[in-house]
Amino acid sequence: MYFSGIQPTGKMHIGNYLGAVRNWVKLQQPGNQNIYCIVDLHALTDKLTIDHEIKFDQNTKSDTLSLAATLIASGINPKQSVFFIQSHVPEHAELQWILSCIAPKNWLNKMTQYKDKKKEYSTLGLYTYPLLMAADIILYQAQYVPVGLDQKQHIELTRDYVQRLNSLFKLNIVEPQYLESTCPKIMSLRDGNKKMSKSDAIDGNRINIDDSKEEIFEKIKRSKTDSIPQIYFDQDKRPEISNLLRIYSAFSNLSMEQVIEKYLTKTTVDFKRDLSELIANELNTIAQKKKQILNNQSELEQTLKEGSMKAREIASKNLKLIKENIGLLV
Ligand code: AMP
Ligand code: TRP
């Protein structure tokens, strides 16, 4: 069973797409059970805290619908996968509470995501974010969690909770495994040592899924490269061009060797133009489909409701088992 989630925050970019979503689509194969979730409760850690103040974000609802449309347009098939909104399945928050009662507090202190984000603001939600994520995964007894590299630590923590639950309460919950895509860490377009990120204040550092062809060409044109005219891969000495090569390889479905051979005698200008074209073509197909999906919002909402009903069926059964084993009257 494959489970993963994505937050409806900021602008989804090609890092999310190549690091996670495209892999989710690939994993939709006969015989696989796939559950994909828009984690709107996780997003509240961002959505309710704006400029260091607790505030209400007017866009949360539309961001959720827009992301749902993007995912379906990218190839998530709600008939094949269970596709739903986290807050529609109350069992997630319920299991989070139970986990918080068995989890030593110091386990959360080592989480790098919290350490990175807490400089800006600090709520209890941000601190216990990994518990909710562990609850998401445990609730469906996921075996594999396809996510980007930045989420690996969260999966490892989830395994620690599973081991604790299993040993303390005679449960037999599956230990989830981190599943890496071919692009686990896409870097910023202007700094090859920094992750491409939704929360980056500079829009030019990333390519958003909704960017127009013109924006894509402009951003790639302005992306950082070095003074070496040849195009070749060297992660340590040439992180920026190596990142662009990785993106090219992913969008073209060519191996790195094939890409390098193709551009051996070409200029960076040629390479960047072809790369822009590749990205723009794929994102344009997604944009067209997304537009159609958003034209029929009630159908989209109905699809999400049906997804949450399927998810709840699985979640409630697994939660009941945990509740019984920890001694609650069910
Ligand atoms: P988020 O936007 O934090 O909800 O992330 C959604 C998914 O995208 C997660 O699986 C992340 O690990 C993945 N992801 C985010 N940024 C990147 C990146 N720069 N490269 C690869 N994967 C990423
Ligand atoms: N924390 C993940 C991210 O920021 C999103 C997420 C929440 C998730 N719950 C999950 C991913 C469960 C995989 C499984 O990307």
Side-chain angles (χ1 to χ4, degrees):
M1 212 289 285
Y2 298 85
F3 181 94
S4 199
I6 180 169
Q7 301 185 70
T9 44
K11 290 181 170 173
M12 181 174 149
H13 52 73
I14 58 168
N16 303 124
Y17 182 63
L18 299 178
V21 174
R22 223 172 60 146
N23 204 25
W24 302 359
V25 174
K26 273 199 204 134
L27 290 165
Q28 294 182 133
Q29 281 165 21
N32 282 355
Q33 191 189 12
N34 307 69
I35 307 185
Y36 300 128
C37 178
I38 294 184
V39 289
D40 56 347
L41 293 176
H42 278 106
L44 292 182
T45 58
D46 262 332
K47 295 278 190 189
L48 293 183
T49 315
I50 303 164
D51 298 333
H52 308 270
E53 276 180 62
I54 302 297
K55 273 194 195 151
F56 175 72
D57 183 340
Q58 306 286 344
N59 298 323
T60 304
K61 220 191 267 186
S62 56
D63 285 351
T64 298
L65 287 169
S66 166
L67 181 59
T70 300
L71 296 182
I72 295 173
S74 302
I76 299 297
N77 178 354
K79 291 202 172 72
Q80 207 174 341
S81 298
V82 177
F83 179 52
F84 72 105
I85 309 291
Q86 186 185 34
S87 66
H88 293 180
V89 179
E91 282 80 1
H92 289 246
E94 208 179 334
L95 180 57
Q96 183 196 8
W97 175 255
I98 293 175
L99 289 181
S100 77
C101 295
I102 64 147
K105 214 171 128 201
N106 62 2
W107 286 11
L108 291 175
N109 293 339
K110 62 179 183 211
M111 302 309 288
T112 49
Q113 184 169 300
Y114 178 71
K115 286 189 203 156
D116 292 346
K117 287 199 170 182
K118 78 170 179 192
K119 286 177 225 130
E120 300 157 36
Y121 48 76
S122 193
T123 61
L124 200 54
L126 195 65
Y127 185 62
T128 58
Y129 178 111
L131 281 177
L132 181 58
M133 181 159 164
D136 297 339
I137 297 168
I138 294 172
L139 212 43
Y140 300 92
Q141 300 231 23
Q143 191 174 1
Y144 300 106
V145 188
V147 280
L149 189 59
D150 60 346
Q151 296 302 313
K152 193 174 178 191
Q153 195 188 25
H154 283 141
I155 316 296
E156 279 160 7
L157 183 74
T158 305
R159 288 171 72 91
D160 293 341
Y161 290 132
V162 169
Q163 283 162 9
R164 205 171 165 90
L165 276 171
N166 284 346
S167 67
L168 291 175
F169 304 107
K170 296 193 173 57
L171 282 154
N172 198 15
I173 298 166
V174 179
E175 282 185 30
Q177 287 174 41
Y178 162 71
L179 190 73
E180 196 162 276
S181 78
T182 50
C183 294
K185 195 171 184 184
I186 295 293
M187 309 313 275
S188 155
L189 294 180
R190 306 219 192 124
D191 181 350
N193 295 307
K194 206 171 98 187
K195 192 184 72 157
M196 186 178 284
S197 162
K198 283 175 178 172
S199 56
D200 196 322
I202 304 167
D203 193 62
N205 285 352
R206 64 175 168 259
I207 291 181
N208 305 303
I209 278 295
D210 292 329
D211 279 350
S212 67
K213 186 172 179 177
E214 292 70 32
E215 284 168 318
I216 294 168
F217 271 78
E218 188 63 20
K219 285 180 181 177
I220 295 288
K221 195 168 133 196
R222 288 170 176 270
S223 66
K224 188 175 163 194
T225 38
D226 47 42
S227 52
I228 304 171
Q230 289 88 8
I231 293 166
Y232 61 87
F233 188 91
D234 186 335
Q235 182 55 44
D236 293 335
K237 296 203 184 82
R238 309 187 70 193
E240 283 86 14
I241 190 81
S242 300
N243 187 45
L244 294 182
L245 281 165
R246 221 180 275 112
I247 297 172
Y248 189 106
S249 163
F251 275 102
S252 64
N253 290 315
L254 294 175
S255 69
M256 187 57 84
E257 292 73 31
Q258 287 170 314
V259 180
I260 290 167
E261 203 187 319
K262 189 166 174 188
Y263 287 95
L264 212 54
T265 56
K266 304 240 173 85
T267 65
T268 310
V269 174
D270 289 336
F271 172 68
K272 283 187 166 181
R273 191 203 47 234
D274 291 358
L275 174 61
S276 307
E277 193 74 44
L278 259 182
I279 301 173
N281 280 344
E282 188 152 338
L283 298 196
N284 182 45
T285 312
I286 295 175
Q288 300 297 328
K289 288 189 191 150
K290 178 175 177 178
K291 214 164 141 193
Q292 278 173 9
I293 296 164
L294 284 176
N295 272 340
N296 196 342
Q297 195 180 313
S298 57
E299 190 183 310
L300 176 60
E301 288 190 36
Q302 183 57 29
T303 301
L304 293 168
K305 264 198 199 112
E306 284 164 17
S308 61
M309 271 155 57
K310 287 188 223 160
R312 252 197 120 170
E313 221 173 281
I314 307 168
S316 60
K317 215 172 82 210
N318 283 332
L319 182 62
K320 183 162 176 264
L321 190 71
I322 294 172
K323 282 174 154 181
E324 266 167 4
N325 281 43
I326 62 167
L328 290 173
L329 177 68
V330 294

